[in-house]
Amino acid sequence: MDIFVVQGGQKLKGSITVGGAKNAAVAIIPAAILSGDICRIENLPTISDVEVISKILVQLGAKVKRISSSVIEIDSRELNSTQVSQELARNMRASYYMLGALLGRFGHARVPMPGGCYFGVRPIDQHLKGFEALGAKTGLRDGIISLTAKDGLKGACVPLDVVSVGATINIMLAAVRAKGLTVIEHAAKEPHIVDLANFLNSMGADVRGAGTDVIKIRGVSKMHGATYSIIPDQIEAGTYMIAAAATGGDITIKNVTPKHMESISKKLMEMGVEIYEYDDSMRITRSGPLKACNVTTMPHPGFPTDMQPQMAAAMSIAKGVSSITEGVWENRFQYVEELKKLGVNAEVQGRVAKFTGVEKLIGNHVKATDLRGGAAMVIAALIAEGETYIREIYHIERGYEQLIDKLVGVGAVIDRRTVPDDFYSEKTGKPDGCNADCGCN
Ligand code: EPU
């Protein structure tokens, strides 16, 4: 297995360029098949989730050509299968966007239940409610979701019971080629919802209101290929902002949309961090101590749930008691137990975690419990004295492109090491005994 070895204590300095948004990319790639034509997608992040969703298209009969590390061309003219394989679907959450995309193009789809990070139950009832409102029959057997709209899809009003990014996207995908008008009420407003709407419109769709809580989609009978560049990744940018703040560094983040960062910038400024905004870059620097603050995660434009673990890493050394109230997921604090191994003073009660700032963190062996929890381990390891060993890094690599290269570029000392699969004891989470290479002595 591969692990990250982080030598903490460096103040990050320099500049980092953010890649394309993961959660936009994993919706836009499936959306491309609605054109039945050739689409060129630019500013894609080089992450494993993009690889997997591209492989799904290939498995269904599309041609996916890599033009460069951040550009692909999708030719879906001959895509002819509507059944996604178990193996690929279970690798990621966004495989369920194939439901909306295949239903929209062919009127039927069979997609296994998706994988992705575990934050408690992750229901898909709102997606199914939307598909049914548009006239599809839904079924679930042996872990496979099936959709059929024998008489075609018809526009309808879909009032969502919870604000769901995934359901909003899936209903948009299904509705763009349905007959008539679809109205999604209580729609999610995240930047990647707007990005998807812009991409769909560039292929000839008629989607209005994305970015507000009412999205109106007038179905069109035909769509066409397009060239489209994905927005910068809000969460990747936010993660580096917090890494700069936590290490007392000074970094400039390039290829960022400052407007998307407002809720994160506001909290960091409250903590004593200085932030300068430019057109498409931001400078983050801290010279004084970090101050405690309280964060409640909410759907956009609130503070993003995907930033709370990274924020926890910064709170761990902030003067006073900070708190995070998780307003989106039932259980997103698994990472806290790992942070404690580095000396973080934290207490979790239900959806609230409290962090009492400590003077310093000390390196140890930890694991990435999920994608953003893994990012929190990296930030905490950058602050910690000595070496930190982070395992299960595949979670991190699902969503952060060239994380090591980018951090090393601003002065971090991190490398990726391969250790035998049985290197860690399941019981202790540490190497059995001590040897010269493990570094735990
Ligand atoms: N929900 C339902 N029923 C549904 C769908 C959602 O009750 O049918 C509930 C969920 O249980 C949750 C809330 O609604 O409590 C919000 O879930 P949402 O559907 O918005 O989440 P998602 O679409 O599954 C996406 C991102 C997540 C991010 C959330 C919230 C992707 C691929 N995933 O998940 O990103 O946390 O929105 O912003 O876009 C990440 O990138 O690390 C990540 C986990």
Side-chain angles (χ1 to χ4, degrees), residues 101 223 365 382 440:
M223 291 171 72
H365 293 268
L382 290 170
C440 72

Side-chain angles (χ1 to χ4, degrees), residues 22-23 96 122-126 164-166 306 328-329 372:
K22 161 188 164 290
N23 289 343
Y96 63 14
R122 292 184 75 170
I124 58 159
D125 57 302
Q126 299 301 304
S164 159
V165 171
D306 294 344
V328 176
W329 295 109
R372 310 301 172 186

Side-chain angles (χ1 to χ4, degrees), residues 6-18:
V6 184
Q7 177 73 53
Q10 328 296 326
K11 293 184 174 193
L12 302 186
K13 287 206 160 77
S15 67
I16 289 187
T17 302
V18 164

